[in-house]
């Protein structure tokens, strides 16, 4: 791409950045071209990001970084990172009767339980399990474009209520891949896998179903299936049907990319445009990574209960 020091190879959706020397400084031309590629493709996959410093430097090409709302998962050495798989195996559940997996996450948009949904995130895996642990990403701008006009009109001005849910219940709603999920019994569960329930700290929020992307002007389906309670002003049954239909639309194979990780791969997603899911892995393997979060500036949300207040507890003590 012009003066830039890399090549771009499109993936099924998104693009891979090739031939970028991860030890070389990033010139202004390279930064600008990376940003332009990100806006065009919505996901950039980097390889060989072999230091935390480079991970931060690359992330900053795309905007200011912010702290993640969960203080517990911030990386002690650099709190602008969150750690995935720190408490290995963490979050272990039994899926479809007998399939025990750690780290599985259904389709979601990051920080969609807050009023100011983050701009993006860059996830880098350092320890990759020998099998499993893939990440899937779905382009909600392409999914919107492909909707029939009548559906596009139905979504105009529509809002939804969203609540953070992290336990088994959130694993079985729209956007999940399995038929049942339950917590393992203490006997089944390796040490230290019960997570504290942090969901109650975050008051429910309202967001629009559609977002006009502030930079590209493209319309995106702005849903995080995992957290949606219902569309405002719609009976629950109708709301569930609509959420189901839109989730199927967003996650249709032609709008998704599935990443099979190698160590020090880093994926940057535009969180305004993409949703993502983690397939999970056998808890006997380690899967560890770090992730940055790009700050706003999409401020589309408000508290469902106007008298609700933001949780600041541990953030202050941190
Ligand atoms: O573990 C993964 O593959 C994705 C985790 C995730 O949802 C995130 O980092 O935001
Ligand atoms: Fe995520």
């Amino acid at each position: 791409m012009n003066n830039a020091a890399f090549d771009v190879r499109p993936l099924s959706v998104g693009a891979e950045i090739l031939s970028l020397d991860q030890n070389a400084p990033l010139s202004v031309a390279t930064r600008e071209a990376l940003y332009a590629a990100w806006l065009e493709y919505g996901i950039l996959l980097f390889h060989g990001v072999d230091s935390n410093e480079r991970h931060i430097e690359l992330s900053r090409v795309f905007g200011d970084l912010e702290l993640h709302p969960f203080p517990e998962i911030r990386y002690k050495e650099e709190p602008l990172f969150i750690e995935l798989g720190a408490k290995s195996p963490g979050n272990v559940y039994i899926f479809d009767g007998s399939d025990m997996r750690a780290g599985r996450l259904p389709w979601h948009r990051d920080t969609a339980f807050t009023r100011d949904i983050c701009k993006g995130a860059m996830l880098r895996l350092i320890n990759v399990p020998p099998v499993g642990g893939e990440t899937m990403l779905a382009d909600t701008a392409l999914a919107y474009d492909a909707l029939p006009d009548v559906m596009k009109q139905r979504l105009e001005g529509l809002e939804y209520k969203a609540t953070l849910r992290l336990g088994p219940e959130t694993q079985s709603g729209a956007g999940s891949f399995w038929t049942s999920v339950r917590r393992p019994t203490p006997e089944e569960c390796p040490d230290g896998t019960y997570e504290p329930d942090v969901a109650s700290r975050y008051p429910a929020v309202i967001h629009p179903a559609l977002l006009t992307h502030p930079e590209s002007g493209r319309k995106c389906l702005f849903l995080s299936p995992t957290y949606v309670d219902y569309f405002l002003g719609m009976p629950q049954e109708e709301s569930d049907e609509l959420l189901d239909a839109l989730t199927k639309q967003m996650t249709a194979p032609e709008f998704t990319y599935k990443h099979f990780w190698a160590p020090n791969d880093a994926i940057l997603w535009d969180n305004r445009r993409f949703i993502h899911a983690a397939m999970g892995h056998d808890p006997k393997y380690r899967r560890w990574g770090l992730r940055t979060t790009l700050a706003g500036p999409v401020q589309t949300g408000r508290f469902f209960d106007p008298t609700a207040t933001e949780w600041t507890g541990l953030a202050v003590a941190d």
Side-chain angles (χ1 to χ4, degrees):
M1 280 179 77
N2 301 334
N3 306 319
F6 61 87
D7 296 316
V8 178
R9 189 169 74 183
L11 302 165
S12 55
V13 292
E16 186 174 23
I17 300 298
L18 298 172
S19 317
L20 178 66
D21 180 355
Q22 296 294 3
N23 296 309
L26 298 163
S27 70
V28 171
T30 299
R31 287 164 188 272
E32 286 175 354
L34 282 172
Y35 200 95
W38 184 54
L39 271 192
E40 180 179 350
Y41 290 100
I43 309 170
L44 296 184
L45 164 62
F46 297 90
H47 301 290
V49 182
D50 61 4
S51 74
N52 295 351
E53 292 72 27
R54 184 65 168 193
H55 186 169
I56 296 267
E57 186 189 3
L58 268 180
S59 302
R60 286 208 160 111
V61 169
F62 304 94
D64 291 335
L65 305 184
E66 68 179 17
L67 295 172
H68 191 275
F70 298 167
E72 298 87 338
I73 58 174
R74 291 182 202 149
Y75 187 45
K76 294 281 174 292
E77 288 175 28
E78 172 47 87
L80 289 173
F81 286 125
I82 55 168
E83 240 182 314
L84 277 90
K87 280 188 282 168
S88 184
N91 275 335
V92 176
Y93 298 117
I94 311 278
F95 296 89
D96 301 335
S98 61
D99 183 13
M100 185 187 279
R101 294 209 186 198
R104 194 173 234 190
L105 291 170
W107 290 103
H108 66 281
R109 226 179 201 97
D110 286 335
T111 67
F113 51 90
T114 68
R115 288 172 297 172
D116 186 11
I117 295 179
C118 66
K119 177 181 181 184
M122 188 186 284
L123 172 62
R124 162 174 149 249
L125 285 198
I126 299 157
N127 291 95
V128 176
V131 287
E134 305 89 354
T135 302
M136 293 193 72
L137 301 109
D139 187 341
T140 72
L142 279 181
Y144 173 82
D145 292 344
L147 286 173
D149 284 346
V150 59
M151 179 60 99
K152 288 180 177 166
Q153 278 151 24
R154 187 174 175 205
L155 297 175
E156 279 306 321
L158 192 62
E159 296 181 310
Y160 63 91
K161 178 183 175 215
T163 306
L164 175 63
R165 281 175 292 267
L166 289 175
E169 72 283 359
T170 195
Q171 298 275 353
S172 54
S176 55
F177 302 93
W178 40 87
T179 55
S180 72
V181 55
R182 66 175 172 84
R183 280 190 189 277
T185 63
E187 293 72 42
E188 289 171 311
C189 195
D191 285 349
T193 54
Y194 281 104
E195 297 285 303
D197 175 22
V198 300
S200 58
R201 295 174 189 162
Y202 301 94
V205 290
I206 294 175
H207 281 285
L210 297 181
L211 175 76
T212 300
H213 194 288
E215 293 179 270
S216 69
R218 293 185 68 182
K219 282 209 175 152
C220 302
L221 283 167
F222 202 49
L223 302 164
S224 182
T226 304
Y227 305 139
V228 175
D229 294 317
Y230 53 79
F231 293 98
L232 300 193
M234 207 179 276
Q236 189 70 49
E237 201 177 326
E238 188 184 337
S239 177
D240 290 348
E241 275 169 25
L242 180 60
L243 178 62
D244 232 48
L246 293 174
T247 303
K248 285 202 179 82
Q249 173 79 3
M250 292 188 286
T251 60
E254 61 270 37
F255 307 135
T256 63
Y257 168 67
K258 184 175 189 174
H259 188 57
F260 295 82
W261 290 88
N264 290 325
D265 282 352
I267 301 184
L268 168 77
W269 55 84
D270 184 337
N271 195 53
R272 300 161 295 187
R273 174 171 161 192
F274 272 77
I275 55 173
H276 57 281
M279 305 304 288
H281 62 282
D282 187 324
K284 71 173 181 262
Y285 300 124
R286 179 144 199 249
R287 183 182 190 269
W288 181 62
L290 297 172
R291 207 206 75 189
T292 54
T293 308
L294 297 178
V298 193
Q299 286 174 312
T300 58
R302 63 184 189 277
F303 286 133
F304 177 73
D305 170 359
T307 65
T309 51
E310 198 157 0
W311 179 83
T312 52
L314 273 177
V316 173
D318 217 36

